[in-house]
Amino acid sequence: MQHDGAVAVIVVDNPPVNALKHEVRAGMLENFTKAAEDKSVEAIVLTGAGRTFMAGADITEFGKPMKPPGLSEVIAAIEKIQKPTIAAVHGTPLGGGLEVTLACHFRVAAPGTRLGLPEIKLGIIPGAGGTQLLPRLVGVEKSLAMILSGDPIPAKDALAVGLVDEIIEGDLVKGAVAFAKKVIAEKRPLKHVRDLDEKIAPFRSHPDKFNEAAANVAKKSRGLEAPLAAIEAVRAAVTMPVDDGLKRERELFVKLVGGEQSKAQRYIFFAEREAAKIPDMPAGLRPREVTRAAVIGAGTMGGGISMSFANAGIPVTVIETNEEALKRGFDTIQKNYQISVQRGALKQEEADKRFSLLKGATSMEAAKDADIVIEAVFEEMEIKKQVFGALDKLAKPRAVLATNTSYLNVDQIAQITKRPKEVLGTHFFSPANVMKLLEIVRGKETAPDVLATAMAVGRKIGKVPVVVGVCHGFVGNRMLSPRQNQAERLLLEGALPRDVDAAAVEFGFPMGPFAMSDLAGIDVGWRIRKALGTRNEIADQLADMGRYGQKTGRGFYIYEKGSRSPINDPEVEEIIGAASKRLGIPRRQIDKKEIVERLIFPMINEGAKILDEGIAYRASDIDVIWVYGYGWPIWRGGPMYYADHVGLAYVRDQLAHYAKVSGNKSLDPSPLLTRLAAENGSFASFGAKKSAA
Ligand code: 3HC
Ligand code: NAI
């Protein structure tokens, strides 16, 4: 604690993010009590050292016995203080950090501060008053939006809704002390957030508003428990006296924090951060500077990738084969920005600013100034080699050369250049401007600082980068393939597309494998298989008939014009029945449990092979890939986490059983799965051993 005249300044210093661990809570309680009792202190400022004000409870303490004082106790003590208390915030005051500020009479913020209650992303709700106090301060609708999205709001929005009282330009603590002195001099009335009523009163007579919100959330939250609990807690803020509401919030919080969903979501939080750590990188390695990018190809992926760079303020040159293709690409980008503006997600001037960072060109020469070049041309080795051959000649020395290939061998592409050290894969997911996952494919010669640069760029453009090794389909698509095979196999054995899709959706995926094929286009896989000389029984028959999916109005389902809702098609059922007959496969009733296990367990089996081969560094990397790239339900923690959860011996036995039932050798449990199951081990411990090595 420091003193500036009659103002005491309490500084929380627990790097890197001032998480509210036990010592911080105890320290705050002690210092606030001292300052409250000290007659020479007339006001108290609370601030955080380092890069941010408190970013919330210490997540590593969840699931363990709580050492007193609890956060609620600290907050109750602050609320009782009769001298002005001022929270001076910067960086990311989040979760419990923001809740502490709500116990203070005033809040001032540095410009650039982002304030929020992100608990929902961890499968919990605010547990130290957030759901009760925020509505009293900023109103019910704004609170619900913040609590349900978990997204922080910028300081200027916080000022507009009354969450902060002043934005301090220049030195934050000095400004906060000056603010405190003003409050003392003016004898300003102290604002006790818990006593405010004006903003919640109108909702007391409109319970229907909550019912609407609950119905909407139930539709969107797909299996998640926390969003409905959050609505219930905010409803309690409106319908109950504040202390009863706080009690209700606490009950809901305690139940969620002890539950399986939050455990899985916390696991993913740390898994995402773990993925940033590459085991064998030299210490002190610095990423190269990237101020300009070039993207080759303005198709589906090139357009989205270019937007990701422009959205992060990095100028991009987009290169196409001709003006017409370039125009098509730019028109799509422009349309995407317009949609965001119409939805209110983006201001027109911001859209214009981003669009102005994109320049088009029809000559590869235009890539010569770029610090990173990302190739997103057709998925054909010969074309990729041509592009990299040309880039090798003209790209500036030390430019990072990346391919967005889905399946092709990155080492072969690198070998066409005289600088294979500078080459790697950056595998984005569609739509690339939206999807957060970025697989970074490390070639056998990729230089460590090139890898570090790609990771840093990935983070800068808002992605979650995960390093993977070279193999057909890398991690995500390679694991998707056995799932698709089993989905088709289930059709031949007796299921219908709607049965398989319904089971996948019930498990928690946003859509089932057949709805997904229809969305992506059945023709994509059909063309690849044609080139490889292989064939899928049902999908390829549909593609032969011109049934490519949504784009042709017919695929595994029928789609009415302008609609994306799948309708069952008796013709497809006939095709499936005839195929079973032709192949001599007896059709039988297949229950949901078998469908889910036949979709999920072969993926886990493939994941085990991927781990064993060192294509992924750790099981948690695979989980991050599936959660951020393929819609794996986050509350189930990812396929490898799920496998550990249901037990590896069970997964092994079921795979062996299904291999027998369906006569399908590819379902045989992999050596690593078999070994870990026999040892009573887990994928989590296997990953940990490898990265510690
Ligand atoms: N508890 C424990 N560790 C945390 C933490 C937290 N709340 N927040 C971040 N960390 C750790 C990270 O794991 C990471 O550790 P590592 O270096 O060993 O990998 C380190 O701090 C730095 O974190 P980031 O790499 O994420 O740093 P960034 O600068 O990119 O992001 C951040 C900073 C925006 C604060 C981000 O870390 C974040 O979103 N943190 C979580 C915030 C949160 O969810 N708060 C709510 C907690 S729940 C709560 O408060 C309950 C209450 O209502 C009772
Ligand atoms: P696309 O067909 O939509 O776009 C490819 C573009 O590249 C076309 O506009 C074409 O004119 C252009 N092009 C071709 N040769 C070129 C050259 N020599 N110079 C400049 N431009 C050239 O293809 P899409 O879907 O964008 O795929 C691109 C790459 O991304 C492929 O390798 C694909 O496997 C990969 N990918 C695709 C995903 C998807 O969902 N579509 C997901 C992840 C990766």
Side-chain angles (χ1 to χ4, degrees), residues 16-17 51 55 57-59 96 99 118-119 122 126-127 269-270 273 277:
V17 300
R51 68 193 211 217
D58 185 334
I59 305 166
E99 289 173 303
E119 285 87 344
L122 299 170
F269 175 84
F270 288 113
R273 277 142 190 93
K277 295 165 192 154

Side-chain angles (χ1 to χ4, degrees), residues 202-539:
F203 278 79
R204 234 165 253 137
S205 44
H206 284 292
D208 47 309
K209 293 252 180 198
F210 282 102
N211 299 341
E212 268 168 42
N216 273 338
V217 167
K219 238 189 279 159
K220 281 194 207 145
S221 59
R222 298 189 315 106
L224 288 163
E225 290 161 359
L228 289 173
I231 291 184
E232 194 184 331
V234 176
R235 191 200 301 262
V238 175
T239 56
M240 291 179 172
V242 68
D243 287 317
D244 292 350
L246 286 169
K247 221 169 111 204
R248 184 70 194 121
E249 174 197 82
R250 195 77 206 154
E251 286 162 4
L252 291 162
F253 171 83
V254 167
K255 185 155 178 262
L256 289 169
V257 88
E260 289 303 328
Q261 293 204 350
S262 175
K263 203 167 143 203
Q265 288 180 251
R266 277 160 12 222
Y267 160 82
I268 287 294
F269 175 84
F270 288 113
E272 183 185 329
R273 277 142 190 93
E274 194 65 14
K277 295 165 192 154
I278 309 168
D280 57 346
M281 298 290 261
L285 191 72
R286 289 174 66 89
R288 298 176 185 181
E289 207 186 335
V290 172
T291 55
R292 298 197 69 83
V295 173
I296 320 280
T300 309
M301 295 307 288
I305 296 167
S306 304
M307 285 177 75
S308 299
F309 276 93
N311 294 348
I314 302 173
V316 200
T317 303
V318 190
I319 302 169
E320 258 294 349
T321 42
N322 57 61
E323 289 294 343
E324 200 190 324
L326 199 57
K327 183 174 180 309
R328 216 173 24 240
F330 270 72
D331 285 350
T332 306
I333 293 174
Q334 180 74 288
K335 198 179 83 202
N336 287 338
Y337 278 132
Q338 273 325 306
I339 291 172
S340 297
V341 171
Q342 279 154 19
R343 275 208 210 117
L346 199 63
K347 294 213 170 74
Q348 184 65 52
E349 61 195 70
E350 181 57 29
D352 293 344
K353 198 167 122 201
R354 294 179 184 190
F355 193 70
S356 72
L357 290 173
L358 298 156
K359 300 266 171 304
T362 51
S363 152
M364 291 285 277
E365 279 288 311
K368 71 179 189 324
D369 296 329
D371 304 301
I372 185 166
V373 185
I374 298 184
E375 164 276 311
V377 304
F378 301 131
E379 182 78 349
E380 277 179 41
M381 184 54 99
E382 279 323 302
I383 305 184
K384 305 256 188 217
K385 281 185 174 171
Q386 269 171 28
V387 169
F388 275 79
L391 283 177
D392 192 25
K393 294 199 180 75
L394 58 86
K396 71 182 195 190
R398 292 175 59 77
V400 173
L401 307 181
T403 169
N404 185 52
T405 179
S406 310
Y407 291 95
L408 299 173
N409 187 315
V410 173
D411 289 329
Q412 275 180 29
I413 296 173
Q415 282 312 316
I416 202 78
T417 72
K418 292 194 189 67
R419 39 173 138 174
K421 285 188 170 56
E422 326 284 330
V423 179
L424 43 58
T426 46
H427 184 213
F428 288 80
F429 288 73
S430 184
N433 52 317
V434 175
M435 295 295 290
K436 288 193 75 138
L437 178 64
L438 175 59
E439 283 185 328
I440 307 259
V441 190
R442 181 179 190 169
K444 68 172 187 284
E445 292 194 46
T446 307
D449 69 327
V450 170
L451 191 59
T453 306
M455 294 290 282
V457 169
R459 271 193 296 275
K460 187 155 184 201
I461 61 173
K463 304 295 172 195
V464 177
V466 184
V467 180
V468 300
V470 175
C471 67
H472 186 75
F474 316 118
V475 170
N477 283 347
R478 177 168 159 186
M479 285 169 70
L480 188 62
S481 166
R483 190 184 86 169
Q484 290 300 111
N485 288 345
Q486 281 306 303
E488 169 132 340
R489 183 74 209 180
L490 284 163
L491 297 187
L492 294 172
E493 288 178 33
L496 291 173
R498 61 170 178 265
D499 304 326
V500 178
D501 283 352
V505 169
E506 200 170 299
F507 181 79
F509 282 104
M511 62 173 73
F514 297 111
M516 194 181 93
S517 292
D518 277 357
L519 176 67
I522 300 177
D523 55 317
V524 178
W526 174 62
R527 283 180 221 281
I528 295 174
R529 285 187 291 275
K530 265 192 180 172
L532 292 172
T534 60
R535 206 173 149 75
N536 256 6
E537 207 52 50
I538 315 280

Side-chain angles (χ1 to χ4, degrees), residues 275 304 344 512 585 605 620 638 653 660:
I585 301 172
N605 206 26
S620 60
D653 295 346
K660 216 153 103 198

